[in-house]
């Protein structure tokens, strides 16, 4: 078993070769725990979280981009979140909440019909600069450039050292009145869903939920707000 203390200690910057070696050994530990205790066991989850922490800390030391998980205070359904993006003067994404977050008479809702009353979660991206939604889905998320650098399934993240923000800022330099200070505080968010991934550069987010609402009803209200 690798020396855990040596792996977790970062008194000096690691180089790329050291980082690859550390991450390879952490991945081996995840496989070992999964094989011995089961993929969804407490031991395997703990090893996976240790691996994610190592991915992020070593990327930070090298100044590389990495995805840090953020708490938006909602969890979307892993199977059929069906996110819908609306972007105009304001930018929203609406999705079905995880059924495990909804309590009815003290028991979990078990509905699997995407039209059932899961409740709707809404994230608004404030002062959005750019937004995109589409590939990859959860089957090919491992192909995302930030896989192996903190990116997780069915989660919200903020990207540190974001190359996308740098790219957008460089494009903006073409403006004769370009002001770099306007880019202070811009944040790169990634939300990973079942069938798509959403990425947005914005200042901050606001989250709300609409329990008992229907998706068509929510979208009608948001469309009026976005225009």
């Amino acid at each position: 078993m690798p020396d855990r203390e040596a792996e977790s200690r970062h008194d000096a910057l690691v180089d790329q070769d050291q980082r690859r070696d550390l991450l390879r050994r952490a991945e081996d530990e995840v496989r070992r725990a999964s094989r011995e205790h089961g993929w969804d066991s407490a031991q395997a989850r703990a090893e996976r979280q240790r691996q994610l922490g190592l991915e992020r800390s070593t990327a930070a030391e090298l100044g590389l981009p990495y995805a840090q998980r953020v708490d938006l205070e909602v969890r979307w359904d892993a199977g059929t979140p069906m996110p819908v993006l609306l972007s105009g003067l304001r930018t929203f994404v609406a999705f079905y909440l995880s059924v495990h977050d909804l309590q009815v008479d003290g028991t979990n809702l078990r509905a699997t019909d995407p039209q059932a009353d899961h409740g709707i979660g809404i994230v608004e991206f404030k002062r959005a600069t750019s937004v995109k939604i589409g590939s990859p889905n959860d089957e090919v998320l491992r192909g995302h450039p930030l896989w192996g650098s903190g990116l997780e399934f069915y989660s919200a993240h903020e990207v540190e050292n974001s190359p996308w923000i740098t790219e957008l800022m460089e494009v903006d330099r073409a403006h004769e009145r370009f002001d770099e200070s306007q880019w202070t505080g811009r944040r790169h968010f990634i939300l990973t869903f079942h069938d798509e991934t959403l990425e947005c550069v914005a200042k901050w987010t606001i989250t709300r939920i609409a329990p008992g609402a229907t998706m068509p009803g929510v979208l009608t209200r948001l469309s009026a707000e976005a225009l």
Side-chain angles (χ1 to χ4, degrees):
M1 184 177 296
D3 185 338
R4 298 291 182 81
E5 183 178 355
E7 285 192 10
S8 61
R9 187 177 62 245
H10 295 294
D11 300 324
L13 289 177
V14 296
D15 61 26
Q16 288 278 22
D17 289 339
Q18 289 173 312
R19 181 173 192 260
R20 281 192 289 268
D21 184 56
L22 288 171
L23 296 183
R24 184 172 58 251
R25 283 188 279 171
E27 187 174 7
D28 288 344
E29 284 300 301
V30 173
R31 291 198 186 97
R32 180 196 58 78
S34 299
R35 185 171 57 252
E36 294 181 4
H37 304 284
W39 173 254
D40 199 37
S41 64
Q43 294 89 338
R45 289 196 301 269
E47 290 297 338
R48 176 58 181 154
Q49 288 305 309
R50 193 179 70 83
Q51 179 185 15
L52 288 165
L54 197 61
E55 290 174 0
R56 292 162 180 152
S57 63
T58 54
E61 289 182 356
L62 290 168
L64 299 173
Y66 63 96
Q68 182 67 53
R69 190 166 179 172
V70 294
D71 183 9
L72 297 183
E73 300 182 348
V74 288
R75 291 188 299 171
W76 43 86
D77 188 76
T80 53
M82 299 178 66
V84 178
L85 174 67
L86 294 96
S87 188
L89 296 177
R90 297 165 68 182
T91 299
F92 305 91
V93 61
F95 44 80
Y96 288 102
L97 294 169
S98 168
V99 294
H100 300 294
D101 289 342
L102 299 177
Q103 299 292 321
V104 178
D105 296 328
T107 61
N108 285 332
L109 265 168
R110 298 295 182 183
T112 57
D113 181 355
Q115 298 300 318
D117 182 13
H118 289 200
I120 309 296
I122 303 154
V123 175
E124 179 177 3
F125 297 96
K126 305 295 288 185
R127 302 283 299 276
T129 301
S130 190
V131 62
K132 56 186 178 181
I133 189 170
S135 181
N137 62 18
D138 61 352
E139 293 182 352
V140 293
L141 189 62
R142 289 175 175 83
H144 191 286
L146 290 174
W147 185 262
S149 293
L151 194 65
E152 301 183 56
F153 292 106
Y154 320 124
S155 302
H157 314 76
E158 181 176 350
V159 180
E160 303 292 343
N161 304 322
S162 169
W164 192 26
I165 292 178
T166 301
E167 175 187 328
L168 292 171
M169 186 170 66
E170 289 306 309
V171 170
D172 199 39
R173 287 185 188 277
H175 197 290
E176 61 181 11
R177 295 183 181 176
F178 172 76
D179 181 359
E180 189 166 335
S181 68
Q182 295 298 313
W183 288 86
T184 301
R186 297 284 172 183
R187 302 165 67 187
H188 177 181
F189 297 97
I190 298 183
L191 280 58
T192 53
F193 296 100
H194 184 277
D195 291 317
E196 53 270 296
T197 295
L198 182 147
E199 301 194 41
C200 185
V201 171
K203 285 277 192 175
W204 72 93
T205 62
I206 295 176
T207 302
R208 48 182 150 146
I209 62 172
T214 65
M215 184 65 82
V218 167
L219 296 179
T220 297
R221 294 199 302 272
L222 293 180
S223 295
E225 294 181 35
L227 298 176

